[in-house]
Amino acid sequence: MEVRKIYKAGNSYVISIPKQVIKLLNLKVGDQILFKWQQDQVILTPIVKKNKIEVIRRIAGCLADQEELVQDLLEIRELESDREGTVLE
């Protein structure tokens, strides 16, 4: 347990996060944290951004033997991108 002081910076209040917590949660500069409060407690949860490359690899693995489905998806994407510039009245 550590005690930290609250500082004012512009219109915001700032609390530094102990190095042990940074390591424990594997946080880096620029990461986002969700603040959730319950009665008199605050719970901090790191927001984990999904790695786009990993998501693509997982999808590709699922579609490995689905060439027809992949072609259908590509056609749908083309149709949707053609409609993006269309203005509906």
Side-chain angles (χ1 to χ4, degrees), residues 7 15 18 28-29 34 40 53 56-57 59 66 73 81 85:
Y7 294 93
I15 303 171
K28 296 176 277 327
V29 172
L34 176 67
D40 62 343
I53 293 172
I56 291 168
R57 284 186 183 142
I59 292 171
Q66 304 291 326
L73 290 170
S81 64

Side-chain angles (χ1 to χ4, degrees), residues 8-88:
K8 185 149 173 64
N11 291 328
S12 299
Y13 294 91
V14 179
I15 303 171
S16 64
I17 300 173
K19 194 173 189 177
Q20 292 172 325
V21 174
I22 296 292
K23 286 182 179 181
L24 176 71
L25 298 177
N26 195 28
L27 295 172
K28 296 176 277 327
V29 172
D31 285 351
Q32 294 181 324
I33 297 175
L34 176 67
F35 284 76
K36 183 178 178 183
W37 44 92
Q38 295 177 341
Q39 296 172 357
D40 62 343
Q41 294 182 342
V42 177
I43 300 168
L44 304 178
T45 307
I47 296 175
V48 179
K49 293 182 182 178
K50 294 186 179 181
N51 182 329
K52 290 180 184 179
I53 293 172
E54 183 57 33
V55 171
I56 291 168
R57 284 186 183 142
R58 288 175 50 206
I59 292 171
C62 293
L63 299 177
D65 297 326
Q66 304 291 326
E67 290 180 35
E68 184 179 340
L69 178 58
V70 171
Q71 289 304 315
D72 289 345
L73 290 170
L74 291 172
E75 287 176 25
I76 290 169
R77 184 185 71 181
E78 284 181 30
L79 291 172
E80 291 300 318
S81 64
D82 287 345
R83 281 198 269 161
E84 286 178 3
T86 305
V87 177
L88 299 176

